[in-house]
Protein backbone atom coordinates (compact mmCIF):
# COMPACT_ATOMS: atom_id res chain seq x y z
CA UNK A 1 0.00 0.00 0.00
CA UNK A 2 1.55 3.33 -0.96
CA UNK A 3 2.57 5.32 2.10
CA UNK A 4 0.60 8.44 1.29
CA UNK A 5 -2.74 6.70 1.12
CA UNK A 6 -4.16 6.28 4.58
CA UNK A 7 -6.47 3.33 4.40
CA UNK A 8 -8.33 1.18 1.93
CA UNK A 9 -11.45 3.24 2.58
CA UNK A 10 -9.60 6.34 1.50
CA UNK A 11 -8.23 4.54 -1.54
CA UNK A 12 -11.62 3.45 -2.75
CA UNK A 13 -13.72 6.36 -1.57
CA UNK A 14 -15.70 8.10 -4.27
CA UNK A 15 -15.72 11.92 -4.39
CA UNK A 16 -18.67 13.72 -2.85
CA UNK A 17 -20.86 15.58 -5.33
CA UNK A 18 -20.09 18.21 -6.47
CA UNK A 19 -16.32 17.73 -6.12
CA UNK A 20 -13.89 20.17 -4.54
CA UNK A 21 -11.35 21.04 -7.24
CA UNK A 22 -7.90 22.38 -6.36
CA UNK A 23 -6.17 24.30 -9.14
CA UNK A 24 -2.42 24.06 -8.53
CA UNK A 25 -0.26 26.76 -10.11
CA UNK A 26 3.56 26.77 -9.93
CA UNK A 27 4.81 30.36 -9.92
CA UNK A 28 8.34 31.56 -10.53
CA UNK A 29 8.78 35.32 -10.88
CA UNK A 30 5.21 35.71 -12.07
CA UNK A 31 4.39 39.13 -10.59
CA UNK A 32 3.13 40.44 -13.94
CA UNK A 33 0.97 37.45 -14.65
CA UNK A 34 -0.68 36.55 -11.33
CA UNK A 35 -2.97 39.61 -11.16
CA UNK A 36 -4.32 38.55 -14.56
CA UNK A 37 -4.52 34.80 -14.14
CA UNK A 38 -5.88 34.45 -10.60
CA UNK A 39 -9.10 36.41 -11.29
CA UNK A 40 -9.53 34.37 -14.46
CA UNK A 41 -9.21 31.10 -12.53
CA UNK A 42 -11.54 32.38 -9.80
CA UNK A 43 -14.06 33.12 -12.54
CA UNK A 44 -13.81 29.51 -13.71
CA UNK A 45 -14.44 28.25 -10.18
CA UNK A 46 -17.51 30.49 -9.89
CA UNK A 47 -18.83 29.24 -13.23
CA UNK A 48 -18.33 25.61 -12.29
CA UNK A 49 -20.06 26.17 -8.95
CA UNK A 50 -22.99 27.86 -10.69
CA UNK A 51 -23.32 25.01 -13.14
CA UNK A 52 -23.17 22.57 -10.25
CA UNK A 53 -20.19 20.65 -11.63
CA UNK A 54 -17.78 21.66 -8.87
CA UNK A 55 -18.08 22.74 -5.28
CA UNK A 56 -18.08 26.46 -4.47
CA UNK A 57 -15.26 25.60 -2.03
CA UNK A 58 -12.94 24.75 -4.91
CA UNK A 59 -9.74 26.77 -4.70
CA UNK A 60 -6.46 27.83 -6.27
CA UNK A 61 -3.14 26.74 -4.74
CA UNK A 62 -0.30 29.08 -5.77
CA UNK A 63 3.05 27.35 -5.27
CA UNK A 64 5.78 30.00 -5.22
CA UNK A 65 9.00 28.41 -6.45
CA UNK A 66 11.46 30.66 -4.62
CA UNK A 67 10.68 33.70 -6.77
CA UNK A 68 13.02 36.69 -6.62
CA UNK A 69 10.35 39.26 -7.37
CA UNK A 70 7.19 40.17 -5.43
CA UNK A 71 5.34 36.94 -6.32
CA UNK A 72 5.33 35.79 -2.70
CA UNK A 73 3.76 39.03 -1.43
CA UNK A 74 1.20 39.05 -4.21
CA UNK A 75 0.17 35.53 -3.23
CA UNK A 76 -0.04 36.51 0.45
CA UNK A 77 -2.22 39.51 -0.45
CA UNK A 78 -4.55 37.41 -2.56
CA UNK A 79 -4.86 34.82 0.17
CA UNK A 80 -5.70 37.51 2.73
CA UNK A 81 -8.37 38.91 0.42
CA UNK A 82 -10.04 35.54 -0.23
CA UNK A 83 -8.70 32.81 2.07
CA UNK A 84 -11.30 30.25 0.96
CA UNK A 85 -10.45 30.38 -2.73
CA UNK A 86 -6.78 31.38 -2.84
CA UNK A 87 -4.18 29.33 -0.95
CA UNK A 88 -0.44 29.55 -1.26
CA UNK A 89 2.87 28.04 -0.31
CA UNK A 90 6.49 28.99 -0.88
CA UNK A 91 9.47 26.75 -1.49
CA UNK A 92 12.59 27.78 0.41
CA UNK A 93 14.40 28.38 -2.89
CA UNK A 94 13.94 27.91 -6.61
CA UNK A 95 13.71 24.18 -7.32
CA UNK A 96 12.13 24.14 -10.75
CA UNK A 97 8.66 23.79 -12.14
CA UNK A 98 8.29 20.07 -11.42
CA UNK A 99 9.08 20.42 -7.74
CA UNK A 100 6.88 23.49 -7.27
CA UNK A 101 4.05 21.55 -8.86
CA UNK A 102 4.72 18.54 -6.67
CA UNK A 103 4.78 20.72 -3.53
CA UNK A 104 1.40 22.16 -4.53
CA UNK A 105 -0.05 18.71 -5.23
CA UNK A 106 1.29 17.38 -1.93
CA UNK A 107 -0.37 20.22 -0.08
CA UNK A 108 -3.79 19.75 -1.70
CA UNK A 109 -3.69 15.93 -1.94
CA UNK A 110 -6.00 15.36 1.01
CA UNK A 111 -7.94 18.56 0.76
CA UNK A 112 -9.66 18.11 -2.59
CA UNK A 113 -11.46 15.54 -4.74
CA UNK A 114 -9.38 16.34 -7.81
CA UNK A 115 -6.43 18.57 -8.56
CA UNK A 116 -5.80 20.44 -11.81
CA UNK A 117 -2.28 21.65 -12.55
CA UNK A 118 -1.82 24.64 -14.83
CA UNK A 119 0.98 27.14 -15.56
CA UNK A 120 0.70 30.63 -14.12
CA UNK A 121 0.85 32.31 -17.52
CA UNK A 122 -2.46 30.75 -18.65
CA UNK A 123 -1.00 29.82 -22.03
CA UNK A 124 -3.06 26.70 -21.57
CA UNK A 125 -6.68 27.72 -22.03
CA UNK A 126 -8.19 27.72 -18.51
CA UNK A 127 -11.66 27.06 -19.93
CA UNK A 128 -10.49 23.52 -20.57
CA UNK A 129 -10.62 23.03 -16.78
CA UNK A 130 -14.40 22.93 -17.06
CA UNK A 131 -14.21 20.13 -19.63
CA UNK A 132 -11.72 18.29 -17.45
CA UNK A 133 -13.98 18.48 -14.43
CA UNK A 134 -16.94 17.25 -16.49
CA UNK A 135 -14.90 14.26 -17.61
CA UNK A 136 -13.83 13.70 -14.00
CA UNK A 137 -17.47 13.74 -12.92
CA UNK A 138 -18.14 11.19 -15.64
CA UNK A 139 -15.53 8.84 -14.17
CA UNK A 140 -12.13 9.76 -15.63
CA UNK A 141 -9.39 9.93 -13.04
CA UNK A 142 -6.64 11.47 -15.12
CA UNK A 143 -7.53 14.00 -17.81
CA UNK A 144 -4.69 15.21 -20.02
CA UNK A 145 -4.79 18.65 -21.57
CA UNK A 146 -3.40 18.31 -25.09
CA UNK A 147 -2.61 21.25 -27.39
CA UNK A 148 -4.45 21.14 -30.66
CA UNK A 149 -1.90 23.42 -32.33
CA UNK A 150 1.15 25.50 -31.61
CA UNK A 151 0.28 28.42 -33.83
CA UNK A 152 1.12 30.97 -31.16
CA UNK A 153 4.51 29.51 -30.23
CA UNK A 154 7.51 30.87 -32.08
CA UNK A 155 8.71 28.62 -34.93
CA UNK A 156 11.87 27.95 -32.95
CA UNK A 157 9.94 26.83 -29.86
CA UNK A 158 7.67 24.67 -32.00
CA UNK A 159 10.50 22.89 -33.79
CA UNK A 160 12.60 22.37 -30.68
CA UNK A 161 9.59 21.15 -28.71
CA UNK A 162 8.68 18.58 -31.38
CA UNK A 163 12.28 17.42 -31.62
CA UNK A 164 12.14 17.03 -27.83
CA UNK A 165 9.14 14.68 -27.96
CA UNK A 166 10.60 12.63 -30.80
CA UNK A 167 13.96 12.29 -29.08
CA UNK A 168 12.22 11.08 -25.91
CA UNK A 169 10.31 8.41 -27.83
CA UNK A 170 13.47 7.05 -29.44
CA UNK A 171 15.15 6.95 -26.06
CA UNK A 172 12.34 4.89 -24.58
CA UNK A 173 10.39 7.48 -22.61
CA UNK A 174 6.61 7.24 -22.86
CA UNK A 175 4.86 10.60 -22.75
CA UNK A 176 1.60 12.02 -24.08
CA UNK A 177 2.37 14.01 -27.26
CA UNK A 178 1.86 17.77 -26.94
CA UNK A 179 0.77 17.43 -23.35
CA UNK A 180 2.68 19.57 -20.85
CA UNK A 181 1.75 19.59 -17.21
CA UNK A 182 -1.83 20.71 -17.73
CA UNK A 183 -3.94 17.92 -16.35
CA UNK A 184 -6.57 16.89 -13.87
CA UNK A 185 -5.92 14.07 -11.44
CA UNK A 186 -8.38 12.57 -9.00
CA UNK A 187 -7.46 12.57 -5.33
CA UNK A 188 -6.64 8.89 -5.67
CA UNK A 189 -4.40 9.45 -8.70
CA UNK A 190 -2.56 12.24 -6.86
CA UNK A 191 -2.02 9.85 -3.93
CA UNK A 192 -0.57 7.27 -6.32
CA UNK A 193 1.66 9.88 -7.93
CA UNK A 194 2.97 10.95 -4.54
CA UNK A 195 3.93 7.39 -3.71
CA UNK A 196 6.72 7.58 -6.31
CA UNK A 197 9.64 8.29 -4.03
CA UNK A 198 12.26 9.18 -6.63
CA UNK A 199 13.90 12.54 -6.17
CA UNK A 200 14.67 13.08 -9.86
CA UNK A 201 11.15 13.80 -10.87
CA UNK A 202 9.66 13.87 -14.34
CA UNK A 203 5.91 14.06 -13.89
CA UNK A 204 5.03 13.70 -17.57
CA UNK A 205 6.74 10.34 -17.59
CA UNK A 206 5.31 9.09 -14.30
CA UNK A 207 1.67 10.05 -14.73
CA UNK A 208 1.10 7.74 -17.74
CA UNK A 209 2.50 4.89 -15.64
CA UNK A 210 -0.22 5.27 -13.03
CA UNK A 211 -2.91 3.90 -15.30
CA UNK A 212 -6.57 4.28 -14.20
CA UNK A 213 -9.28 5.67 -16.46
CA UNK A 214 -7.87 8.49 -18.54
CA UNK A 215 -9.33 11.07 -20.91
CA UNK A 216 -8.04 13.90 -23.07
CA UNK A 217 -9.19 17.48 -23.53
CA UNK A 218 -7.75 19.44 -26.45
CA UNK A 219 -7.32 23.20 -26.43
CA UNK A 220 -5.55 26.00 -28.29
CA UNK A 221 -2.39 27.20 -26.64
CA UNK A 222 -2.19 30.98 -26.42
CA UNK A 223 0.82 33.28 -26.15
CA UNK A 224 2.08 34.13 -22.68
CA UNK A 225 -0.22 36.73 -21.05
CA UNK A 226 2.70 38.72 -19.58
CA UNK A 227 6.29 38.25 -18.51
CA UNK A 228 8.61 35.93 -20.36
CA UNK A 229 9.22 32.20 -20.70
CA UNK A 230 11.15 30.58 -17.89
CA UNK A 231 11.96 27.69 -20.19
CA UNK A 232 14.70 28.74 -22.58
CA UNK A 233 16.26 26.10 -24.82
CA UNK A 234 19.03 25.15 -22.39
CA UNK A 235 16.50 24.42 -19.64
CA UNK A 236 14.34 22.45 -22.07
CA UNK A 237 17.32 20.33 -23.10
CA UNK A 238 18.22 19.66 -19.49
CA UNK A 239 14.65 18.74 -18.79
CA UNK A 240 14.64 16.30 -21.71
CA UNK A 241 17.86 14.61 -20.67
CA UNK A 242 16.61 14.35 -17.08
CA UNK A 243 13.39 12.83 -18.32
CA UNK A 244 15.13 10.21 -20.41
CA UNK A 245 17.76 9.26 -17.87
CA UNK A 246 15.21 8.94 -15.09
CA UNK A 247 12.96 6.65 -17.10
CA UNK A 248 14.92 4.59 -19.48
CA UNK A 249 18.06 2.53 -19.63
CA UNK A 250 17.74 2.41 -23.39
CA UNK A 251 20.73 4.68 -24.17
CA UNK A 252 22.96 2.01 -22.59
CA UNK A 253 21.41 -0.67 -24.72
CA UNK A 254 22.21 1.43 -27.77
CA UNK A 255 25.88 1.37 -26.75
CA UNK A 256 25.74 -2.41 -26.62
CA UNK A 257 24.12 -2.56 -30.06
CA UNK A 258 26.71 -0.20 -31.53
CA UNK A 259 29.40 -2.52 -30.15
CA UNK A 260 27.77 -5.49 -31.90
CA UNK A 261 27.48 -3.59 -35.18
CA UNK A 262 31.13 -2.57 -34.96
CA UNK A 263 32.05 -6.21 -34.48
CA UNK A 264 30.44 -6.93 -37.85
CA UNK A 265 32.21 -3.95 -39.39
CA UNK A 266 35.43 -5.51 -38.04
CA UNK A 267 35.03 -8.43 -40.39
CA UNK A 268 34.87 -6.14 -43.43
CA UNK A 269 37.78 -4.05 -42.16
CA UNK A 270 39.71 -7.24 -41.40
CA UNK A 271 39.29 -8.51 -44.95
CA UNK A 272 40.37 -5.16 -46.37
CA UNK A 273 43.42 -5.02 -44.08
CA UNK A 274 44.47 -8.58 -44.93
CA UNK A 275 44.04 -7.97 -48.66
CA UNK A 276 46.15 -4.78 -48.42
CA UNK A 277 48.70 -6.63 -46.31
CA UNK A 278 49.20 -9.56 -48.65
CA UNK A 279 49.09 -7.47 -51.81
CA UNK A 280 51.99 -5.48 -50.34
CA UNK A 281 50.16 -2.11 -50.13
CA UNK A 282 50.53 -1.85 -46.37
CA UNK A 283 53.53 -0.50 -44.49
CA UNK A 284 54.69 -2.83 -41.76
CA UNK A 285 52.83 -2.58 -38.47
CA UNK A 286 49.72 -1.01 -40.03
CA UNK A 287 47.76 -4.25 -40.43
CA UNK A 288 48.16 -5.40 -36.85
CA UNK A 289 47.37 -1.89 -35.54
CA UNK A 290 44.24 -1.59 -37.65
CA UNK A 291 42.97 -5.00 -36.64
CA UNK A 292 43.54 -4.43 -32.95
CA UNK A 293 42.03 -0.92 -32.88
CA UNK A 294 38.78 -2.08 -34.46
CA UNK A 295 38.51 -5.33 -32.62
CA UNK A 296 39.30 -3.85 -29.22
CA UNK A 297 37.05 -0.87 -29.87
CA UNK A 298 34.03 -3.05 -30.45
CA UNK A 299 34.88 -5.34 -27.54
CA UNK A 300 35.11 -2.33 -25.20
CA UNK A 301 31.74 -1.03 -26.36
CA UNK A 302 30.13 -4.43 -25.89
CA UNK A 303 31.63 -4.70 -22.41
CA UNK A 304 30.39 -1.21 -21.52
CA UNK A 305 26.96 -2.14 -22.83
CA UNK A 306 26.85 -5.26 -20.65
CA UNK A 307 27.89 -3.27 -17.59
CA UNK A 308 25.28 -0.72 -18.62
CA UNK A 309 22.57 -3.38 -18.57
CA UNK A 310 23.43 -4.18 -14.95
CA UNK A 311 23.69 -0.52 -14.00
CA UNK A 312 20.28 -0.10 -15.64
CA UNK A 313 18.82 -2.80 -13.41
CA UNK A 314 20.34 -1.16 -10.33
CA UNK A 315 18.93 2.15 -11.47
CA UNK A 316 15.43 0.73 -11.74
CA UNK A 317 15.71 -0.98 -8.34
CA UNK A 318 16.98 2.01 -6.37
CA UNK A 319 14.02 4.06 -7.51
CA UNK A 320 11.77 1.83 -5.41
CA UNK A 321 8.87 2.63 -7.63
CA UNK A 322 5.52 1.23 -6.63
CA UNK A 323 5.14 -1.98 -8.63
CA UNK A 324 1.41 -1.72 -9.20
CA UNK A 325 -1.76 -0.02 -8.01
CA UNK A 326 -4.98 -1.91 -7.47
CA UNK A 327 -7.80 0.24 -8.80
CA UNK A 328 -10.60 -2.10 -7.78
CA UNK A 329 -10.99 -5.17 -5.64
CA UNK A 330 -13.90 -7.58 -5.77
CA UNK A 331 -13.51 -9.58 -2.61
CA UNK A 332 -16.65 -10.06 -0.59
N1 LIG B 1 8.13 27.75 -13.17
C1 LIG B 1 8.49 27.40 -11.88
N2 LIG B 1 9.83 27.28 -11.57
C2 LIG B 1 10.82 27.50 -12.50
C3 LIG B 1 10.43 27.82 -13.83
C4 LIG B 1 9.08 27.93 -14.14
O1 LIG B 1 7.65 27.20 -11.03
O2 LIG B 1 11.99 27.39 -12.14
C5 LIG B 1 6.71 27.86 -13.51
C6 LIG B 1 6.30 29.17 -14.16
O3 LIG B 1 5.99 30.14 -13.19
C7 LIG B 1 5.09 28.76 -14.96
C8 LIG B 1 5.40 27.33 -15.36
O4 LIG B 1 6.41 26.88 -14.47
O5 LIG B 1 3.91 28.75 -14.17
C9 LIG B 1 5.87 27.21 -16.82
O6 LIG B 1 6.90 28.13 -17.08
P1 LIG B 1 6.95 28.97 -18.43
O7 LIG B 1 5.59 29.49 -18.76
O8 LIG B 1 8.02 30.02 -18.25
O9 LIG B 1 7.42 27.89 -19.48
P2 LIG B 1 6.97 27.75 -21.04
O10 LIG B 1 5.49 27.86 -21.08
O11 LIG B 1 7.64 28.86 -21.74
O12 LIG B 1 7.47 26.39 -21.42
MG1 LIG C 1 4.38 29.31 -20.37
Amino acid sequence: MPATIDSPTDLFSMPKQPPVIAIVVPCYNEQEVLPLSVPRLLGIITRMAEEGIASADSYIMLANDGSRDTTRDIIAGMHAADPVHVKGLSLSRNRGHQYALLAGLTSVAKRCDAAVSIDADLQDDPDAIIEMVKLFNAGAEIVYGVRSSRKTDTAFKRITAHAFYRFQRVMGLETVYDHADYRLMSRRAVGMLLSYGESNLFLRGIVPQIGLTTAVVTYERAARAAGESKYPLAKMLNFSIDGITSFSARPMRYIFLIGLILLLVDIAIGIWVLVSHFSGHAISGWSSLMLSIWFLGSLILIALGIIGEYVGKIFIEVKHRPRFFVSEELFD
Side-chain angles (χ1 to χ4, degrees), residues 26 28 30 65 94 97 120-121 123 157 221 224 229-230:
Y28 178 56
E30 298 288 11
D65 185 14
N94 180 240
H97 170 237
D121 55 18
Q123 282 186 283
K157 176 97 188 179
R221 188 164 155 100
R224 215 173 206 285
S229 173
K230 275 85 192 167

Side-chain angles (χ1 to χ4, degrees), residues 29 77 130 183 272 315:
N29 295 347
I130 300 177
R183 69 177 85 81
W272 172 58
F315 157 88

Side-chain angles (χ1 to χ4, degrees), residues 280-297:
H281 292 311
I283 50 172
S284 82
W286 177 81
S287 324
S288 51
L289 262 180
M290 276 303 274
L291 287 177
S292 30
I293 286 172
W294 278 85
F295 187 66
L296 283 178

Side-chain angles (χ1 to χ4, degrees), residues 12-321:
F12 294 112
S13 71
M14 291 309 283
K16 332 181 254 318
Q17 285 293 337
V20 173
I21 306 296
I23 303 176
V24 179
V25 187
C27 310
Y28 178 56
N29 295 347
E30 298 288 11
Q31 60 183 15
E32 292 95 0
V33 144
L34 285 181
L36 305 173
S37 36
V38 169
R40 190 111 191 254
L41 292 173
L42 287 172
I44 302 238
I45 290 177
T46 313
R47 256 166 71 194
M48 293 196 297
E50 280 166 7
E51 289 176 31
I53 59 173
S55 158
D57 292 337
S58 298
Y59 57 90
I60 304 170
M61 163 53 78
L62 301 168
N64 166 30
D65 185 14
S67 300
R68 290 170 213 282
D69 63 0
T70 58
T71 297
R72 189 250 152 222
D73 299 337
I74 292 177
I75 295 174
M78 289 174 161
H79 172 65
D82 186 355
V84 175
H85 295 114
V86 183
K87 324 267 186 200
L89 65 82
S90 282
L91 296 191
S92 58
R93 53 159 294 176
N94 180 240
R95 290 290 294 134
H97 170 237
Q98 300 285 289
Y99 295 95
L101 187 53
L102 193 73
L105 288 173
T106 307
S107 161
V108 305
K110 293 189 176 162
R111 301 161 169 162
C112 67
D113 296 308
V116 176
S117 49
I118 186 167
D119 289 353
D121 55 18
L122 298 195
Q123 282 186 283
D124 305 305
D125 178 10
D127 287 341
I129 293 176
I130 300 177
E131 295 310 308
M132 290 181 179
V133 172
K134 284 182 181 160
L135 287 165
F136 169 67
N137 289 340
E141 295 208 51
I142 299 179
V143 184
Y144 296 103
V146 170
R147 288 167 211 172
S148 56
S149 75
R150 282 178 173 265
K151 276 190 270 198
T152 55
D153 278 0
T154 60
F156 181 72
K157 176 97 188 179
R158 195 162 54 228
I159 292 165
T160 49
H162 276 180
F164 167 91
Y165 287 108
R166 225 165 303 132
F167 183 57
Q168 289 175 346
R169 281 282 150 84
V170 174
M171 289 298 168
L173 173 60
E174 239 183 86
T175 49
V176 178
Y177 202 77
D178 265 349
H179 159 70
D181 282 304
Y182 187 23
R183 69 177 85 81
L184 174 145
M185 298 178 81
S186 68
R187 175 196 180 97
R188 173 163 82 152
V190 172
M192 290 172 176
L193 174 70
L194 296 181
S195 64
Y196 282 79
E198 57 204 82
S199 52
N200 194 330
L201 202 67
F202 191 70
L203 294 175
R204 286 171 219 183
I206 293 178
V207 176
Q209 302 211 335
I210 293 176
L212 300 176
T213 314
T214 62
V216 165
V217 168
T218 55
Y219 63 92
E220 292 278 339
R221 188 164 155 100
R224 215 173 206 285
E228 49 193 43
S229 173
K230 275 85 192 167
Y231 265 104
L233 181 66
K235 239 183 180 176
M236 206 156 88
L237 206 64
N238 272 335
F239 191 50
S240 187
I241 292 173
D242 268 355
I244 291 162
T245 51
S246 60
F247 267 86
S248 158
R250 208 184 276 186
M252 301 196 233
R253 183 153 302 166
Y254 287 151
I255 292 178
F256 181 68
L257 290 179
I258 292 171
L260 280 185
I261 292 168
L262 282 187
L263 203 60
L264 292 180
V265 173
D266 277 354
I267 297 172
I269 301 255
I271 293 171
W272 172 58
V273 167
L274 288 180
V275 169
S276 309
H277 183 78
F278 287 112
S279 61
H281 292 311
I283 50 172
S284 82
W286 177 81
S287 324
S288 51
L289 262 180
M290 276 303 274
L291 287 177
S292 30
I293 286 172
W294 278 85
F295 187 66
L296 283 178
S298 51
L299 275 193
I300 289 170
L301 276 190
I302 289 173
L304 280 179
I306 291 172
I307 294 172
E309 289 289 325
Y310 286 100
V311 174
K313 295 282 179 302
I314 296 170
F315 157 88
I316 300 289
E317 291 298 330
V318 295
K319 281 184 179 291
H320 272 291
R321 284 191 176 160

